[in-house]
Amino acid sequence: VQTHFGGDWTRAMSLVRPLLESASAAFGNLESPLESPLAQQNSPHSHSRNGSSNNSHDSIDLRAHLKAVGALKSFDFLSTENNHAQDGGAAGAAQNLAWLQQHGLIPVSSQVAWSVIERHQVAWLAFLDDPQQPTTQHAAWLNQVRQARAKAH
C-alpha cells in the first residue's frame, strides 16, 4: 500500500469497491487483524532481531496497521474467526474487534451477529476449522447454525 498507493489504504480496494458497495451485504474474511504498531511490537508473535518468531508455533504473523481499516470500508461484515485472529494475543484481538466496530464494520465470529437485509433477518456466523480442536466442536457449531436458521426469516 505504501509503495503503490502512497499509504492511502482507501485506494487499496478501489477496483472492487463498486462491486462490494452495490451488494445488499458484503462479507469478507479478515485474515489480518488490525492493531496499533505498539501492540504489534509487544505481542506474543513479535519477531526477534534474528527474524525468528517468539511464539510457540512459529506461524506467520499477519497483523496489519489500524490504518488498513480504510481498505475495508466497503465491507459490512468481516469474519474474525481464522488462524490469525490471535496473532496479537487477547489484547490484540480485543483491539481489532473494537476498531472494526468503531468504523462501522460488524465482526463475525462463532457468536451470532444479526442483521436485516432487504426485510429478511440474517444470521452471520464464522468458525475456525482448526485440526487442533476436538471434533466434538463441529457438533456444537452445527447446533448453532440450526438455532440461527430457526430464528432467521
Side-chain angles (χ1 to χ4, degrees):
V1 172
Q2 186 62 41
T3 301
H4 296 289
F5 302 114
D8 183 356
W9 283 92
T10 60
R11 292 180 53 206
M13 298 283 285
S14 61
L15 295 177
V16 296
R17 182 173 290 114
L19 294 171
L20 293 170
E21 291 178 351
S22 68
S24 298
F27 177 91
N29 177 41
L30 184 60
E31 194 71 12
S32 298
L34 308 180
E35 294 182 27
S36 67
L38 181 60
Q40 290 180 14
Q41 291 172 0
N42 297 323
S43 80
H45 286 243
S46 61
H47 293 268
S48 65
R49 285 190 182 154
N50 67 8
S52 66
S53 172
N54 291 333
N55 63 45
S56 60
H57 56 279
D58 202 29
S59 65
I60 297 170
D61 184 345
L62 287 186
R63 289 171 296 156
H65 194 283
L66 293 172
K67 293 177 186 178
V69 75
L72 305 172
K73 294 284 188 161
S74 299
F75 288 95
D76 302 297
F77 303 91
L78 291 166
S79 169
T80 57
E81 288 286 327
N82 59 60
N83 57 319
H84 292 285
Q86 294 294 321
D87 279 0
Q95 182 181 36
N96 181 49
L97 295 177
W99 191 250
L100 293 173
Q101 291 170 334
Q102 287 173 18
H103 289 85
L105 299 164
I106 300 170
V108 178
S109 68
S110 59
Q111 304 301 312
V112 179
W114 292 98
S115 68
V116 176
I117 299 172
E118 297 179 2
R119 299 187 311 265
H120 297 282
Q121 189 170 359
V122 177
W124 299 89
L125 288 159
F127 302 103
L128 171 59
D129 190 15
D130 183 351
Q132 303 295 326
Q133 292 179 330
T135 55
T136 55
Q137 184 66 39
H138 295 142
W141 293 341
L142 186 55
N143 189 43
Q144 282 181 274
V145 171
R146 287 182 179 138
Q147 289 176 3
R149 181 178 178 200
K151 292 179 186 177
H153 56 72

